[in-house]
Amino acid sequence: MLKEAFLSGAAAIANNKRAVDELNVYPVPDGDTGTNMSMTMSNAQRELQFMDDSCTVAQVSSETAAALLRGARGNSGVILSLLFRGFSKALKGKATADCKDLANALDLGVKGAYKAVMNPTEGTILTVARLASEKAAAIADSADDVSVFWGEVCDEADKALAQTPELLPVLKKAGVVDAGGKGLIVIWRAMLDVFSGKQG
């Protein structure tokens, strides 16, 4: 299921890259955030397609993290690869994953991404991921259904994305939300489709 979720995320960002590109005004308005995120995810997509369905969550997340790191394009791609590296760290040695594991994966990914960025700017993909991760940590102990849990994480990410123009004046001036944050939600929502049985 995790493999299918990651593949679904890769397909979704590929299908929506142009819409994400159009939001791209920060840090420079070069209109390539969606394209870079899509190219980064497609690197993992190529590797995952050859993995056996009997593979563990540890194998899937490790393969994904390595492929994303190798194929990371632009700032958004690098941050995306670091966020997914959290899955690899949190799920190491595990055959399956529960809500607590996923919350831990988000936490480790966010910490890694913030640490790697020289001057972390709020109002970006980092903010969206961090607030969603904090929500995941808050509900993980009481959550027992991955699809419900991930749905709440996505809802929190949507709220955080909506607030990005209030944190970054350049976004407010352009009348857009953060492109990287939007791209991340596109990927996460596609993962939710698999977790909830709508796809995969």
Side-chain angles (χ1 to χ4, degrees):
M1 187 182 279
L2 189 65
K3 182 183 95 165
E4 291 303 325
F6 287 167
L7 285 171
S8 176
I13 191 64
N15 292 337
N16 291 277
K17 63 185 176 184
R18 189 166 295 167
V20 174
D21 283 343
E22 287 169 2
L23 298 172
N24 183 199
V25 296
Y26 180 87
V28 285
D30 47 12
D32 63 358
T33 293
T35 298
N36 284 338
M37 293 179 87
S38 175
M39 290 174 81
T40 302
M41 285 299 288
S42 71
N43 219 51
Q45 188 176 23
R46 283 192 293 273
E47 303 288 336
L48 288 172
Q49 283 169 342
F50 295 108
M51 290 191 80
D52 193 274
D53 281 348
S54 63
C55 50
T56 64
V57 293
Q59 290 168 324
V60 169
S61 56
S62 174
E63 193 66 50
T64 300
L68 291 180
L69 198 58
R70 284 195 305 270
R73 300 290 186 102
N75 289 336
S76 55
V78 170
I79 291 171
L80 188 65
S81 74
L82 291 166
L83 292 174
F84 273 87
R85 195 171 168 207
F87 281 86
S88 180
K89 287 182 174 180
L91 304 180
K92 190 174 182 180
K94 293 182 180 284
T96 60
D98 59 18
C99 298
K100 283 185 187 178
D101 293 323
L102 294 179
N104 190 31
L106 292 175
D107 179 56
L108 291 174
V110 167
K111 283 176 179 167
Y114 266 88
K115 203 177 287 183
V117 176
M118 201 172 290
N119 294 304
T121 303
E122 296 302 334
T124 65
I125 183 175
L126 292 172
T127 307
V128 174
R130 178 176 58 78
L131 293 174
S133 172
E134 287 169 5
K135 175 71 172 183
I139 63 174
D141 283 336
S142 59
D144 56 6
D145 183 316
V146 168
S147 66
V148 173
F149 166 80
W150 199 254
E152 289 196 42
V153 169
C154 289
D155 288 346
E156 190 67 25
D158 280 332
K159 284 184 205 164
L161 181 69
Q163 288 304 307
T164 55
E166 302 306 317
L167 298 170
L168 258 186
V170 66
L171 298 179
K172 194 165 192 175
K173 189 178 179 184
V176 296
V177 293
D178 179 65
K182 177 63 179 178
L184 183 64
I185 291 171
V186 165
I187 293 166
W188 281 0
R189 287 264 174 212
M191 290 172 62
L192 177 61
D193 285 344
V194 172
F195 292 154
S196 58
K198 291 178 190 169
Q199 190 179 321

